[in-house]
Amino acid sequence: MHQAQLSRRERDVARLVARGVTNAEIARSLGLSASTVKHYVESAMRKAGVTNRVSLAIWLREQEGAG
């Protein structure tokens, strides 16, 4: 199944998720609100076709390894 590309910001957020960073920590480090980070995480998971943060991290690793 072909998945949509993540936006630059979704990818930035997903990379931090993959490192185990919480939404609140991501928000502080990127200067975003917690609700905006939550939106980016949910959008990235939807585009990746996954339902949790661990699966998003694995998906991102596979995508970046393939590129």
Side-chain angles (χ1 to χ4, degrees):
M1 173 184 218
H2 176 64
Q3 299 296 336
Q5 287 288 93
L6 300 185
S7 70
R8 184 181 66 82
R9 188 56 98 179
E10 288 167 343
R11 191 166 292 276
D12 291 343
V13 169
R15 285 180 179 136
L16 292 170
V17 166
R19 291 173 46 194
V21 181
T22 67
N23 284 4
E25 292 168 332
I26 293 169
R28 280 192 298 277
S29 69
L30 297 180
L32 302 170
S33 71
S35 63
T36 298
V37 171
K38 181 180 177 189
H39 168 77
Y40 282 130
V41 171
E42 290 172 349
S43 178
M45 288 192 308
R46 184 175 52 256
K47 287 180 179 182
V50 300
T51 58
N52 60 65
R53 294 167 78 92
V54 171
S55 295
L56 178 60
I58 293 167
W59 178 87
L60 182 67
R61 185 172 169 177
E62 291 171 350
Q63 294 299 305
E64 292 188 337

Short mmCIF file of all heavy atoms in Angstrom, two decimals:
data_model
loop_
_atom_site.label_atom_id
_atom_site.label_comp_id
_atom_site.label_asym_id
_atom_site.label_seq_id
_atom_site.Cartn_x
_atom_site.Cartn_y
_atom_site.Cartn_z
N MET A 1 0.84 -1.19 0.00
CA MET A 1 0.00 0.00 0.00
C MET A 1 0.88 1.25 0.00
O MET A 1 1.77 1.38 0.82
CB MET A 1 -0.89 -0.04 1.24
CG MET A 1 -1.68 1.21 1.46
SD MET A 1 -2.58 1.08 3.00
CE MET A 1 -4.06 1.88 2.53
N HIS A 2 0.62 2.15 -0.93
CA HIS A 2 1.40 3.37 -1.02
C HIS A 2 0.89 4.38 0.01
O HIS A 2 -0.29 4.67 0.06
CB HIS A 2 1.30 3.96 -2.42
CG HIS A 2 1.99 5.27 -2.56
ND1 HIS A 2 3.35 5.39 -2.42
CD2 HIS A 2 1.52 6.51 -2.79
CE1 HIS A 2 3.68 6.66 -2.58
NE2 HIS A 2 2.58 7.35 -2.81
N GLN A 3 1.78 4.88 0.83
CA GLN A 3 1.40 5.85 1.85
C GLN A 3 1.81 7.27 1.41
O GLN A 3 2.82 7.44 0.73
CB GLN A 3 2.09 5.53 3.17
CG GLN A 3 1.74 4.17 3.73
CD GLN A 3 0.28 4.05 4.10
OE1 GLN A 3 -0.40 5.03 4.36
NE2 GLN A 3 -0.22 2.85 4.09
N ALA A 4 1.03 8.23 1.82
CA ALA A 4 1.34 9.62 1.52
C ALA A 4 2.62 10.02 2.23
O ALA A 4 2.94 9.51 3.30
CB ALA A 4 0.19 10.51 1.97
N GLN A 5 3.36 10.93 1.62
CA GLN A 5 4.56 11.45 2.25
C GLN A 5 4.18 12.32 3.44
O GLN A 5 3.19 13.04 3.40
CB GLN A 5 5.33 12.31 1.25
CG GLN A 5 6.02 11.51 0.18
CD GLN A 5 7.22 10.78 0.73
OE1 GLN A 5 7.13 9.63 1.14
NE2 GLN A 5 8.34 11.44 0.76
N LEU A 6 5.01 12.28 4.46
CA LEU A 6 4.81 13.17 5.60
C LEU A 6 5.30 14.56 5.23
O LEU A 6 6.28 14.70 4.49
CB LEU A 6 5.58 12.68 6.81
CG LEU A 6 5.26 11.29 7.36
CD1 LEU A 6 6.06 11.05 8.63
CD2 LEU A 6 3.79 11.10 7.60
N SER A 7 4.64 15.57 5.77
CA SER A 7 5.14 16.93 5.61
C SER A 7 6.45 17.05 6.40
O SER A 7 6.78 16.19 7.22
CB SER A 7 4.12 17.94 6.15
OG SER A 7 4.06 17.86 7.56
N ARG A 8 7.17 18.11 6.15
CA ARG A 8 8.44 18.31 6.86
C ARG A 8 8.20 18.34 8.38
O ARG A 8 8.92 17.71 9.14
CB ARG A 8 9.10 19.61 6.41
CG ARG A 8 10.48 19.82 7.05
CD ARG A 8 11.11 21.14 6.61
NE ARG A 8 10.41 22.30 7.08
CZ ARG A 8 10.56 22.81 8.31
NH1 ARG A 8 11.37 22.26 9.16
NH2 ARG A 8 9.88 23.88 8.67
N ARG A 9 7.17 19.05 8.80
CA ARG A 9 6.89 19.17 10.24
C ARG A 9 6.42 17.84 10.82
O ARG A 9 6.82 17.47 11.92
CB ARG A 9 5.86 20.27 10.48
CG ARG A 9 5.66 20.57 11.94
CD ARG A 9 6.97 20.94 12.61
NE ARG A 9 7.11 22.35 12.70
CZ ARG A 9 8.14 22.96 13.27
NH1 ARG A 9 9.12 22.28 13.79
NH2 ARG A 9 8.20 24.25 13.30
N GLU A 10 5.59 17.10 10.09
CA GLU A 10 5.18 15.78 10.55
C GLU A 10 6.39 14.87 10.72
O GLU A 10 6.49 14.13 11.70
CB GLU A 10 4.19 15.14 9.57
CG GLU A 10 2.83 15.76 9.56
CD GLU A 10 1.99 15.33 8.37
OE1 GLU A 10 2.53 14.82 7.37
OE2 GLU A 10 0.76 15.53 8.44
N ARG A 11 7.32 14.95 9.78
CA ARG A 11 8.53 14.12 9.86
C ARG A 11 9.39 14.55 11.05
O ARG A 11 9.92 13.71 11.78
CB ARG A 11 9.32 14.21 8.56
CG ARG A 11 10.44 13.19 8.48
CD ARG A 11 10.99 13.06 7.08
NE ARG A 11 10.04 12.45 6.15
CZ ARG A 11 9.86 11.15 6.01
NH1 ARG A 11 10.57 10.30 6.72
NH2 ARG A 11 8.98 10.69 5.16
N ASP A 12 9.52 15.86 11.28
CA ASP A 12 10.27 16.34 12.44
C ASP A 12 9.68 15.79 13.74
O ASP A 12 10.39 15.30 14.61
CB ASP A 12 10.24 17.88 12.53
CG ASP A 12 11.03 18.56 11.42
OD1 ASP A 12 11.86 17.91 10.76
OD2 ASP A 12 10.78 19.78 11.21
N VAL A 13 8.36 15.88 13.84
CA VAL A 13 7.66 15.40 15.04
C VAL A 13 7.81 13.88 15.15
O VAL A 13 8.10 13.36 16.24
CB VAL A 13 6.18 15.83 15.02
CG1 VAL A 13 5.38 15.13 16.10
CG2 VAL A 13 6.08 17.35 15.18
N ALA A 14 7.64 13.16 14.05
CA ALA A 14 7.75 11.70 14.08
C ALA A 14 9.15 11.26 14.50
O ALA A 14 9.29 10.26 15.23
CB ALA A 14 7.39 11.12 12.72
N ARG A 15 10.16 11.98 14.07
CA ARG A 15 11.53 11.64 14.49
C ARG A 15 11.69 11.77 15.99
O ARG A 15 12.36 10.96 16.63
CB ARG A 15 12.54 12.53 13.76
CG ARG A 15 12.75 12.14 12.33
CD ARG A 15 13.77 13.04 11.65
NE ARG A 15 13.98 12.64 10.28
CZ ARG A 15 14.05 13.47 9.26
NH1 ARG A 15 13.92 14.77 9.44
NH2 ARG A 15 14.24 13.00 8.04
N LEU A 16 11.10 12.80 16.56
CA LEU A 16 11.18 12.98 18.01
C LEU A 16 10.36 11.91 18.73
O LEU A 16 10.78 11.39 19.77
CB LEU A 16 10.72 14.39 18.40
CG LEU A 16 11.68 15.49 17.94
CD1 LEU A 16 11.05 16.86 18.13
CD2 LEU A 16 13.01 15.39 18.67
N VAL A 17 9.20 11.57 18.18
CA VAL A 17 8.40 10.47 18.73
C VAL A 17 9.23 9.20 18.75
O VAL A 17 9.26 8.47 19.74
CB VAL A 17 7.10 10.26 17.92
CG1 VAL A 17 6.43 8.93 18.27
CG2 VAL A 17 6.13 11.42 18.15
N ALA A 18 9.95 8.94 17.67
CA ALA A 18 10.78 7.73 17.55
C ALA A 18 11.89 7.71 18.60
O ALA A 18 12.35 6.64 18.98
CB ALA A 18 11.37 7.63 16.15
N ARG A 19 12.30 8.87 19.07
CA ARG A 19 13.33 8.96 20.11
C ARG A 19 12.74 8.88 21.51
O ARG A 19 13.47 8.97 22.49
CB ARG A 19 14.12 10.25 19.95
CG ARG A 19 14.98 10.24 18.68
CD ARG A 19 15.66 11.55 18.39
NE ARG A 19 16.29 12.16 19.54
CZ ARG A 19 16.71 13.41 19.59
NH1 ARG A 19 16.55 14.19 18.54
NH2 ARG A 19 17.28 13.89 20.66
N GLY A 20 11.41 8.74 21.58
CA GLY A 20 10.75 8.59 22.88
C GLY A 20 10.40 9.89 23.56
O GLY A 20 10.10 9.92 24.76
N VAL A 21 10.39 10.98 22.81
CA VAL A 21 10.08 12.29 23.37
C VAL A 21 8.56 12.43 23.49
O VAL A 21 7.82 12.05 22.60
CB VAL A 21 10.68 13.40 22.47
CG1 VAL A 21 10.39 14.78 23.04
CG2 VAL A 21 12.17 13.19 22.29
N THR A 22 8.10 12.99 24.61
CA THR A 22 6.67 13.17 24.82
C THR A 22 6.15 14.34 23.99
O THR A 22 6.92 15.21 23.56
CB THR A 22 6.34 13.46 26.29
OG1 THR A 22 6.89 14.74 26.65
CG2 THR A 22 6.89 12.38 27.22
N ASN A 23 4.83 14.39 23.81
CA ASN A 23 4.23 15.50 23.07
C ASN A 23 4.55 16.84 23.72
O ASN A 23 4.85 17.81 23.03
CB ASN A 23 2.71 15.33 22.97
CG ASN A 23 2.31 14.30 21.94
OD1 ASN A 23 3.15 13.64 21.34
ND2 ASN A 23 1.01 14.15 21.75
N ALA A 24 4.50 16.90 25.06
CA ALA A 24 4.80 18.15 25.76
C ALA A 24 6.24 18.59 25.51
O ALA A 24 6.51 19.77 25.29
CB ALA A 24 4.53 17.99 27.25
N GLU A 25 7.16 17.64 25.52
CA GLU A 25 8.57 17.96 25.26
C GLU A 25 8.77 18.38 23.82
O GLU A 25 9.55 19.31 23.54
CB GLU A 25 9.45 16.76 25.60
CG GLU A 25 9.50 16.44 27.07
CD GLU A 25 10.13 15.08 27.38
OE1 GLU A 25 10.06 14.17 26.54
OE2 GLU A 25 10.68 14.95 28.49
N ILE A 26 8.08 17.72 22.90
CA ILE A 26 8.17 18.10 21.48
C ILE A 26 7.65 19.52 21.31
O ILE A 26 8.26 20.34 20.62
CB ILE A 26 7.37 17.12 20.60
CG1 ILE A 26 8.03 15.73 20.61
CG2 ILE A 26 7.28 17.64 19.16
CD1 ILE A 26 7.18 14.63 19.98
N ALA A 27 6.53 19.81 21.94
CA ALA A 27 5.94 21.15 21.83
C ALA A 27 6.93 22.21 22.30
O ALA A 27 7.13 23.22 21.62
CB ALA A 27 4.65 21.21 22.65
N ARG A 28 7.55 21.98 23.45
CA ARG A 28 8.52 22.95 23.97
C ARG A 28 9.72 23.09 23.04
O ARG A 28 10.15 24.20 22.75
CB ARG A 28 9.00 22.54 25.37
CG ARG A 28 8.03 22.90 26.47
CD ARG A 28 8.65 22.77 27.84
NE ARG A 28 9.05 21.39 28.15
CZ ARG A 28 8.23 20.45 28.62
NH1 ARG A 28 6.96 20.74 28.83
NH2 ARG A 28 8.68 19.25 28.88
N SER A 29 10.24 21.98 22.55
CA SER A 29 11.46 22.05 21.74
C SER A 29 11.22 22.67 20.37
O SER A 29 12.13 23.29 19.81
CB SER A 29 12.10 20.67 21.60
OG SER A 29 11.33 19.82 20.80
N LEU A 30 10.02 22.51 19.82
CA LEU A 30 9.72 23.06 18.49
C LEU A 30 8.93 24.37 18.54
O LEU A 30 8.62 24.93 17.50
CB LEU A 30 8.95 22.02 17.66
CG LEU A 30 9.69 20.73 17.35
CD1 LEU A 30 8.80 19.80 16.52
CD2 LEU A 30 11.01 20.98 16.65
N GLY A 31 8.60 24.83 19.74
CA GLY A 31 7.85 26.07 19.86
C GLY A 31 6.42 25.96 19.37
O GLY A 31 5.89 26.91 18.79
N LEU A 32 5.81 24.80 19.59
CA LEU A 32 4.43 24.55 19.18
C LEU A 32 3.56 24.32 20.40
O LEU A 32 4.06 24.06 21.49
CB LEU A 32 4.37 23.30 18.29
CG LEU A 32 5.22 23.30 17.03
CD1 LEU A 32 5.24 21.92 16.40
CD2 LEU A 32 4.69 24.33 16.04
N SER A 33 2.24 24.37 20.21
CA SER A 33 1.34 24.01 21.29
C SER A 33 1.24 22.48 21.36
O SER A 33 1.49 21.78 20.37
CB SER A 33 -0.05 24.61 21.06
OG SER A 33 -0.70 23.93 20.00
N ALA A 34 0.85 21.98 22.53
CA ALA A 34 0.69 20.53 22.69
C ALA A 34 -0.39 20.00 21.75
O ALA A 34 -0.26 18.90 21.21
CB ALA A 34 0.35 20.21 24.15
N SER A 35 -1.44 20.77 21.53
CA SER A 35 -2.51 20.32 20.64
C SER A 35 -2.03 20.25 19.19
O SER A 35 -2.44 19.35 18.43
CB SER A 35 -3.76 21.19 20.76
OG SER A 35 -3.49 22.51 20.37
N THR A 36 -1.16 21.16 18.79
CA THR A 36 -0.60 21.11 17.44
C THR A 36 0.27 19.88 17.27
O THR A 36 0.20 19.19 16.25
CB THR A 36 0.20 22.39 17.15
OG1 THR A 36 -0.70 23.51 17.20
CG2 THR A 36 0.85 22.34 15.77
N VAL A 37 1.08 19.57 18.28
CA VAL A 37 1.92 18.37 18.23
C VAL A 37 1.04 17.14 18.14
O VAL A 37 1.30 16.24 17.33
CB VAL A 37 2.86 18.30 19.45
CG1 VAL A 37 3.57 16.95 19.50
CG2 VAL A 37 3.88 19.43 19.40
N LYS A 38 -0.02 17.10 18.94
CA LYS A 38 -0.94 15.95 18.89
C LYS A 38 -1.50 15.79 17.48
O LYS A 38 -1.58 14.67 16.96
CB LYS A 38 -2.06 16.14 19.91
CG LYS A 38 -3.03 14.99 19.95
CD LYS A 38 -4.13 15.21 20.97
CE LYS A 38 -5.11 14.06 20.93
NZ LYS A 38 -6.29 14.31 21.75
N HIS A 39 -1.87 16.90 16.85
CA HIS A 39 -2.38 16.86 15.48
C HIS A 39 -1.34 16.28 14.53
O HIS A 39 -1.67 15.43 13.70
CB HIS A 39 -2.80 18.26 15.03
CG HIS A 39 -3.06 18.36 13.56
ND1 HIS A 39 -4.21 17.89 12.98
CD2 HIS A 39 -2.29 18.83 12.56
CE1 HIS A 39 -4.14 18.07 11.67
NE2 HIS A 39 -2.99 18.65 11.40
N TYR A 40 -0.10 16.75 14.63
CA TYR A 40 0.96 16.24 13.75
C TYR A 40 1.20 14.75 13.97
O TYR A 40 1.39 14.00 13.00
CB TYR A 40 2.26 17.00 13.97
CG TYR A 40 2.30 18.36 13.31
CD1 TYR A 40 2.68 19.48 14.02
CD2 TYR A 40 1.98 18.52 11.97
CE1 TYR A 40 2.74 20.74 13.43
CE2 TYR A 40 2.02 19.77 11.36
CZ TYR A 40 2.40 20.87 12.10
OH TYR A 40 2.45 22.10 11.51
N VAL A 41 1.21 14.32 15.23
CA VAL A 41 1.41 12.89 15.52
C VAL A 41 0.28 12.07 14.92
O VAL A 41 0.51 11.06 14.23
CB VAL A 41 1.51 12.64 17.04
CG1 VAL A 41 1.51 11.14 17.35
CG2 VAL A 41 2.77 13.28 17.61
N GLU A 42 -0.96 12.50 15.13
CA GLU A 42 -2.12 11.77 14.59
C GLU A 42 -2.11 11.75 13.07
O GLU A 42 -2.40 10.72 12.45
CB GLU A 42 -3.41 12.38 15.12
CG GLU A 42 -3.61 12.12 16.60
CD GLU A 42 -4.79 12.89 17.19
OE1 GLU A 42 -5.34 13.79 16.52
OE2 GLU A 42 -5.14 12.58 18.34
N SER A 43 -1.75 12.87 12.46
CA SER A 43 -1.69 12.94 11.00
C SER A 43 -0.61 12.02 10.45
O SER A 43 -0.83 11.30 9.48
CB SER A 43 -1.44 14.39 10.57
OG SER A 43 -1.35 14.48 9.18
N ALA A 44 0.56 12.03 11.09
CA ALA A 44 1.65 11.16 10.65
C ALA A 44 1.26 9.69 10.80
O ALA A 44 1.53 8.88 9.90
CB ALA A 44 2.92 11.46 11.45
N MET A 45 0.61 9.34 11.90
CA MET A 45 0.18 7.95 12.10
C MET A 45 -0.84 7.55 11.05
O MET A 45 -0.77 6.44 10.50
CB MET A 45 -0.37 7.74 13.52
CG MET A 45 0.69 7.76 14.58
SD MET A 45 0.17 7.19 16.23
CE MET A 45 -1.27 8.15 16.55
N ARG A 46 -1.77 8.44 10.75
CA ARG A 46 -2.79 8.15 9.73
C ARG A 46 -2.13 7.93 8.37
O ARG A 46 -2.43 6.95 7.67
CB ARG A 46 -3.80 9.29 9.67
CG ARG A 46 -4.96 9.05 8.73
CD ARG A 46 -6.02 10.15 8.79
NE ARG A 46 -5.49 11.50 8.63
CZ ARG A 46 -5.31 12.38 9.62
NH1 ARG A 46 -5.63 12.06 10.86
NH2 ARG A 46 -4.82 13.58 9.38
N LYS A 47 -1.21 8.81 7.99
CA LYS A 47 -0.53 8.67 6.70
C LYS A 47 0.32 7.41 6.64
O LYS A 47 0.45 6.79 5.59
CB LYS A 47 0.35 9.90 6.44
CG LYS A 47 -0.44 11.14 6.09
CD LYS A 47 0.49 12.30 5.84
CE LYS A 47 -0.27 13.56 5.46
NZ LYS A 47 0.66 14.68 5.18
N ALA A 48 0.91 7.03 7.79
CA ALA A 48 1.75 5.83 7.84
C ALA A 48 0.91 4.56 7.93
O ALA A 48 1.43 3.47 7.73
CB ALA A 48 2.69 5.91 9.04
N GLY A 49 -0.37 4.72 8.23
CA GLY A 49 -1.24 3.55 8.35
C GLY A 49 -1.01 2.77 9.63
O GLY A 49 -1.17 1.55 9.65
N VAL A 50 -0.63 3.49 10.70
CA VAL A 50 -0.37 2.84 11.98
C VAL A 50 -1.26 3.45 13.06
O VAL A 50 -1.86 4.51 12.85
CB VAL A 50 1.12 2.95 12.38
CG1 VAL A 50 2.02 2.28 11.34
CG2 VAL A 50 1.54 4.40 12.58
N THR A 51 -1.33 2.77 14.20
CA THR A 51 -2.24 3.22 15.25
C THR A 51 -1.57 3.56 16.57
O THR A 51 -2.25 3.88 17.54
CB THR A 51 -3.32 2.15 15.52
OG1 THR A 51 -2.66 0.93 15.90
CG2 THR A 51 -4.19 1.91 14.29
N ASN A 52 -0.23 3.50 16.61
CA ASN A 52 0.44 3.86 17.86
C ASN A 52 1.83 4.42 17.57
O ASN A 52 2.35 4.31 16.46
CB ASN A 52 0.50 2.68 18.84
CG ASN A 52 1.25 1.51 18.26
OD1 ASN A 52 2.45 1.60 18.01
ND2 ASN A 52 0.55 0.41 18.03
N ARG A 53 2.42 5.02 18.60
CA ARG A 53 3.70 5.71 18.45
C ARG A 53 4.85 4.76 18.12
O ARG A 53 5.75 5.11 17.35
CB ARG A 53 4.00 6.49 19.73
CG ARG A 53 3.02 7.63 19.97
CD ARG A 53 3.12 8.18 21.37
NE ARG A 53 4.24 9.05 21.58
CZ ARG A 53 4.22 10.37 21.42
NH1 ARG A 53 3.10 10.97 21.09
NH2 ARG A 53 5.29 11.09 21.63
N VAL A 54 4.83 3.58 18.70
CA VAL A 54 5.89 2.61 18.43
C VAL A 54 5.86 2.21 16.96
O VAL A 54 6.90 2.17 16.29
CB VAL A 54 5.78 1.37 19.35
CG1 VAL A 54 6.75 0.28 18.93
CG2 VAL A 54 6.00 1.77 20.81
N SER A 55 4.67 1.93 16.45
CA SER A 55 4.54 1.56 15.04
C SER A 55 4.96 2.71 14.13
O SER A 55 5.55 2.49 13.07
CB SER A 55 3.11 1.12 14.73
OG SER A 55 2.80 -0.05 15.43
N LEU A 56 4.67 3.94 14.54
CA LEU A 56 5.11 5.11 13.76
C LEU A 56 6.63 5.16 13.72
O LEU A 56 7.21 5.40 12.65
CB LEU A 56 4.54 6.40 14.35
CG LEU A 56 4.95 7.69 13.64
CD1 LEU A 56 4.50 7.70 12.19
CD2 LEU A 56 4.41 8.90 14.40
N ALA A 57 7.27 4.92 14.84
CA ALA A 57 8.73 4.93 14.89
C ALA A 57 9.32 3.87 13.97
O ALA A 57 10.27 4.14 13.23
CB ALA A 57 9.21 4.72 16.33
N ILE A 58 8.74 2.68 13.99
CA ILE A 58 9.22 1.60 13.12
C ILE A 58 9.00 1.96 11.66
O ILE A 58 9.89 1.78 10.82
CB ILE A 58 8.51 0.28 13.49
CG1 ILE A 58 8.95 -0.18 14.88
CG2 ILE A 58 8.79 -0.81 12.44
CD1 ILE A 58 8.10 -1.29 15.47
N TRP A 59 7.82 2.47 11.35
CA TRP A 59 7.51 2.87 9.97
C TRP A 59 8.50 3.93 9.48
O TRP A 59 9.04 3.83 8.37
CB TRP A 59 6.08 3.39 9.89
CG TRP A 59 5.68 3.86 8.53
CD1 TRP A 59 5.16 3.11 7.53
CD2 TRP A 59 5.78 5.19 8.01
NE1 TRP A 59 4.93 3.89 6.41
CE2 TRP A 59 5.30 5.18 6.69
CE3 TRP A 59 6.23 6.41 8.54
CZ2 TRP A 59 5.25 6.31 5.89
CZ3 TRP A 59 6.19 7.55 7.74
CH2 TRP A 59 5.70 7.49 6.43
N LEU A 60 8.76 4.93 10.32
CA LEU A 60 9.68 6.01 9.94
C LEU A 60 11.08 5.46 9.70
O LEU A 60 11.73 5.81 8.72
CB LEU A 60 9.71 7.09 11.03
CG LEU A 60 10.60 8.28 10.72
CD1 LEU A 60 10.05 9.08 9.55
CD2 LEU A 60 10.74 9.16 11.95
N ARG A 61 11.50 4.59 10.56
CA ARG A 61 12.84 3.98 10.40
C ARG A 61 12.94 3.23 9.07
O ARG A 61 13.94 3.33 8.36
CB ARG A 61 13.10 3.05 11.57
CG ARG A 61 14.46 2.46 11.60
CD ARG A 61 14.65 1.72 12.88
NE ARG A 61 15.86 0.92 12.85
CZ ARG A 61 16.29 0.22 13.86
NH1 ARG A 61 15.61 0.18 14.98
NH2 ARG A 61 17.39 -0.49 13.77
N GLU A 62 11.89 2.49 8.74
CA GLU A 62 11.87 1.77 7.47
C GLU A 62 11.88 2.73 6.28
O GLU A 62 12.58 2.49 5.29
CB GLU A 62 10.65 0.84 7.40
CG GLU A 62 10.73 -0.32 8.35
CD GLU A 62 9.42 -1.11 8.44
OE1 GLU A 62 8.39 -0.65 7.91
OE2 GLU A 62 9.45 -2.17 9.08
N GLN A 63 11.12 3.81 6.38
CA GLN A 63 11.05 4.79 5.29
C GLN A 63 12.39 5.48 5.09
O GLN A 63 12.83 5.66 3.96
CB GLN A 63 9.99 5.85 5.59
CG GLN A 63 8.57 5.32 5.61
CD GLN A 63 8.17 4.73 4.28
OE1 GLN A 63 8.25 5.38 3.26
NE2 GLN A 63 7.74 3.50 4.31
N GLU A 64 13.02 5.86 6.17
CA GLU A 64 14.27 6.59 6.06
C GLU A 64 15.41 5.66 5.67
O GLU A 64 16.36 6.08 5.01
CB GLU A 64 14.57 7.34 7.36
CG GLU A 64 13.57 8.47 7.54
CD GLU A 64 13.88 9.39 8.68
OE1 GLU A 64 14.60 8.99 9.62
OE2 GLU A 64 13.40 10.53 8.64
N GLY A 65 15.30 4.38 6.03
CA GLY A 65 16.30 3.41 5.62
C GLY A 65 16.22 3.10 4.14
O GLY A 65 17.21 2.81 3.48
N ALA A 66 14.99 3.19 3.61
CA ALA A 66 14.77 2.87 2.19
C ALA A 66 15.18 4.04 1.29
O ALA A 66 15.39 3.87 0.10
CB ALA A 66 13.29 2.53 1.96
N GLY A 67 15.25 5.24 1.88
CA GLY A 67 15.51 6.41 1.06
C GLY A 67 16.90 6.72 0.95
O GLY A 67 17.90 6.73 0.65
#
